[in-house]
Amino acid sequence: SSSSSSSSSSSSSNPPSSAPLQSQCLQILSSFIPPDPPPPNPTAKPGCTCKKSLCLKLYCQCFAARRFCSASVSGCKCVSCHNYTPP
């Protein structure tokens, strides 16, 4: 008769730490989240004066501040603007 002896390990079988995996996931996810806009410049004049960017680039003051252009409210003097509230 063959007897199989099973040896049990005295060490506890804890799962591996998930901290490295969480760190990797946070790094990947943070690459998809846009950074916060820069704080408003108190010396900057309100409104933008964009001519070629269509107000869709970060160097447009309004676009960088995540607001729509408006000649009446913000004092924008932009040309061919595409950063406006939808009708």
Side-chain angles (χ1 to χ4, degrees), residues 9-48:
S9 164
S10 63
S11 67
S12 62
S13 59
N14 289 336
S17 173
S18 62
L21 180 60
Q22 288 176 345
S23 175
Q24 287 176 342
C25 289
L26 286 175
Q27 286 177 342
I28 292 169
L29 288 175
S30 66
S31 68
F32 291 106
I33 299 172
D36 289 335
N41 184 351
T43 61
K45 295 179 183 176
C48 66

Side-chain angles (χ1 to χ4, degrees), residues 34-71:
D36 289 335
N41 184 351
T43 61
K45 295 179 183 176
C48 66
T49 57
C50 302
K51 292 179 177 65
K52 295 181 182 179
S53 71
L54 307 177
C55 301
L56 298 176
K57 304 285 184 182
L58 285 176
Y59 45 80
C60 171
Q61 295 171 0
C62 300
F63 187 81
R66 295 182 179 175
R67 67 174 190 252
F68 293 117
C69 294
S70 169

Side-chain angles (χ1 to χ4, degrees), residues 70-85:
S70 169
S72 61
V73 177
S74 302
C76 295
K77 297 175 184 162
C78 43
V79 178
S80 301
C81 179
H82 281 69
N83 181 27
Y84 53 86
T85 54

